[in-house]
Amino acid sequence: MAQNTDLDSLLQNIPLGELAAKFGVDEDTIGAAVQQALPGLIGGMAVNASDADGASKLESAVQKHQPASGAVSLDNIDTADGEKIVKHVLGDKKDQVAQALGEQAGNNAIATLVPQLLPMLAPLVMQFLAGKMGGGQGTVAASNDQGGLGGVLGNLLGGLVGGGKQTQQASAGGGLGDLLGGLLGGGGQQQSAGGGLGDLLGGLLGGKK
């Protein structure tokens, strides 16, 4: 995987050791589950940010979250807030999306963890985005060249699925199904056409307003 500073920074804010202990698994398993859950969550946020109204609402929500400073403790994660974020981002399809992400893992242990992790990861992603929006480290200006908040989300997804060019092409298309198909399909249009995860999520979220 190519170096992705945004993704690395986000992953550093996730307390893998505490999560592993909470769920009684090793860190490799929880790490794999986190990387399986994040594309669905961040992909949903990218879809919300793909039009002006959605982007404005997402930015307002992000601004309500203080960026994390230092190590994040599991005790400090507001999972009730996380549930609301997941519901807003994925709508009434959140259960189907979580199931699809889990099935894509091809591992029962990881599949079981994905839906439980989504509300824990959502506040951390929002805090990370809040830090990016107000970071003052040149990151906001750089991301604005690629579409502001949507550019940051696209960069994260590019690292997760290893498709930076694919991410930009999908974003340029503007369609909800096309966006998720490109971001999450991993194999571009061919995989989407063959019923890949991106195609499935694009279909699930295609009717979401």
Side-chain angles (χ1 to χ4, degrees):
M1 181 182 296
Q3 183 177 8
N4 186 306
T5 304
D6 282 348
L7 178 59
D8 290 342
S9 297
L10 172 59
L11 292 174
Q12 287 171 7
N13 287 335
I14 298 174
L16 294 179
E18 290 183 53
L19 286 170
K22 175 179 176 62
F23 291 110
V25 297
D26 57 59
E27 286 196 31
D28 286 344
T29 299
I30 202 70
V34 164
Q35 295 213 32
Q36 188 67 30
L38 281 175
L41 182 62
I42 297 173
M45 291 182 181
V47 168
N48 280 268
S50 64
D51 63 75
D53 182 57
S56 176
K57 290 179 179 177
L58 180 59
E59 287 178 8
S60 295
V62 166
Q63 289 170 359
K64 295 176 183 177
H65 291 78
Q66 292 296 316
S69 58
V72 176
S73 169
L74 197 57
D75 293 336
N76 296 331
I77 298 176
D78 186 346
T79 53
D81 179 49
E83 291 279 5
K84 294 177 183 176
I85 295 168
V86 173
K87 173 67 175 176
H88 176 77
V89 168
L90 299 178
D92 60 0
K93 303 298 185 184
K94 66 182 182 69
D95 292 336
Q96 292 98 313
V97 170
Q99 181 179 356
L101 290 166
E103 289 176 352
Q104 181 72 9
N107 179 303
N108 287 336
I110 293 174
T112 301
L113 290 168
V114 168
Q116 300 178 77
L117 285 172
L118 287 173
M120 297 182 177
L121 296 174
L124 298 182
V125 173
M126 295 293 274
Q127 289 172 12
F128 175 79
L129 293 174
K132 294 291 290 182
M133 289 177 65
Q137 299 175 346
T139 53
V140 175
S143 65
N144 283 341
D145 294 337
Q146 302 172 10
L149 189 57
V152 177
L153 292 167
N155 189 31
L156 289 170
L157 280 161
L160 286 163
V161 303
K165 292 181 179 178
Q166 184 178 309
T167 298
Q168 292 178 359
Q169 289 170 354
S171 298
L176 187 57
D178 290 341
L179 179 66
L180 276 178
L183 293 177
L184 301 175
Q189 294 180 348
Q190 284 186 330
Q191 182 172 347
S192 294
L197 179 61
D199 184 53
L200 176 60
L201 290 180
L204 290 173
L205 294 174
K208 181 179 179 294
K209 302 293 185 183

